[in-house]
Amino acid sequence: MNVAKMIDHSLLRPELTTADVRHGCEVAARRAVASVCVRPSDVGLARAALDGTGVLVGTVAGFPHGDTLTTVKAAETRALVEAGADEIDMVLHIGRLRSGDDAYVHDDIAAVVAAAQGRVVKVILENVYLTDEQKVAGCRIAERAGAGFVKTSTGFAGGGATLADIQLMRATVSPHVEVKAAGGVRSLDTLLTLHRAGATRFGATVTEAILDDFAARERGEPPADAPSTGSGY
């Protein structure tokens, strides 16, 4: 099992300096994770830092609330692709989903998918605000609109990935659509539990602690305690 290639190393906190982002990219490259997920303004920096490493550059659109105009989300996505982004994590319009305006939500996602020009788009539902019925609706809309992933959370809304949500999302979308868990993935045990439930990618800030724990267990050492600090993204 290659745990590193399941992790999107998150560099989204608003207070991060450029030095913090560069260091995060160094960590991502050294640990050979799947990607970094950086703020839009940091895509160029991350692209330069990670070229040739095999680590993808991911970023966000309409983040963290999802309520910007569709035209703005699409324009942002085009600019991010031009800057070198490989993957786009977009927030769907949470209020419109809760309102039952499926057509708006679909067209909003589809516009970003088109603007991504073949790059993977991960659609963030922000499950903490949704009923199970709304989660199912959001997943189905995202799939119809061409998303490659459905994702639990931004990590900035007071709730994160749960086992029940991963199971529900995996059961809702077709096999070709993947599920990303974000928010509260602070330990290897959490990651492995959610992986068994169907998640294939994980947003994490405590990447090194998770990978160190995995390596220790591979050597037969006892599990480490979960980190007590860090963003839940």
Side-chain angles (χ1 to χ4, degrees):
M1 178 185 293
N2 191 340
V3 172
K5 286 303 181 187
M6 300 180 192
I7 294 176
D8 293 343
H9 185 52
S10 174
L11 299 168
L12 292 170
R13 296 197 310 274
E15 77 276 14
L16 295 179
T17 65
T18 53
D20 293 331
V21 175
R22 288 192 182 94
H23 174 70
C25 290
E26 291 169 4
V27 169
R30 176 162 37 84
R31 305 310 292 256
V33 298
S35 80
V36 294
C37 192
V38 297
R39 301 167 303 196
S41 57
D42 296 325
V43 168
L45 186 161
R47 178 79 281 154
L50 293 169
D51 267 350
T53 66
V55 177
L56 300 175
V57 176
T59 190
V60 290
F63 194 87
H65 298 130
D67 52 7
T68 49
L69 292 169
T70 298
T71 52
V72 173
K73 285 184 183 177
E76 182 177 31
T77 300
R78 287 190 292 272
L80 294 170
V81 167
E82 184 176 346
D86 298 303
E87 299 184 332
I88 306 292
D89 290 29
M90 70 162 290
V91 187
L92 58 68
H93 197 302
I94 302 159
R96 293 299 180 99
L97 179 62
R98 284 167 49 90
S99 300
D101 193 348
D102 292 2
Y104 184 102
V105 176
H106 174 277
D107 292 349
D108 189 57
I109 297 169
V112 171
V113 170
Q117 303 170 45
R119 277 75 172 175
V120 169
V121 173
K122 305 176 197 142
V123 175
I124 305 169
L125 275 69
E126 203 69 286
N127 285 341
V128 70
Y129 296 131
L130 307 177
T131 65
D132 282 354
E133 291 75 15
Q134 290 163 347
K135 295 167 194 173
V136 168
C139 286
R140 289 177 175 166
I141 293 167
E143 179 171 354
R144 291 198 302 271
F149 280 78
V150 289
K151 177 177 168 182
T152 59
S153 322
T154 63
F156 290 87
T162 67
L163 178 60
D165 279 349
I166 296 299
Q167 291 170 331
L168 178 65
M169 295 167 78
R170 181 64 274 162
T172 299
V173 294
S174 300
H176 68 274
V177 178
E178 299 184 63
V179 179
K180 178 175 173 178
V185 184
R186 298 190 183 98
S187 72
L188 177 62
D189 285 326
T190 298
L191 184 151
L192 294 175
T193 296
L194 298 179
H195 178 60
R196 287 190 291 270
T200 55
R201 199 78 75 84
F202 301 87
T205 57
V206 292
T207 298
E208 291 205 281
I210 290 171
L211 294 178
D212 287 346
D213 190 8
F214 182 71
R217 295 191 200 190
E218 290 283 281
R219 296 191 298 267
E221 298 172 16
D225 292 334
S228 59
T229 61
S231 166
Y233 174 83

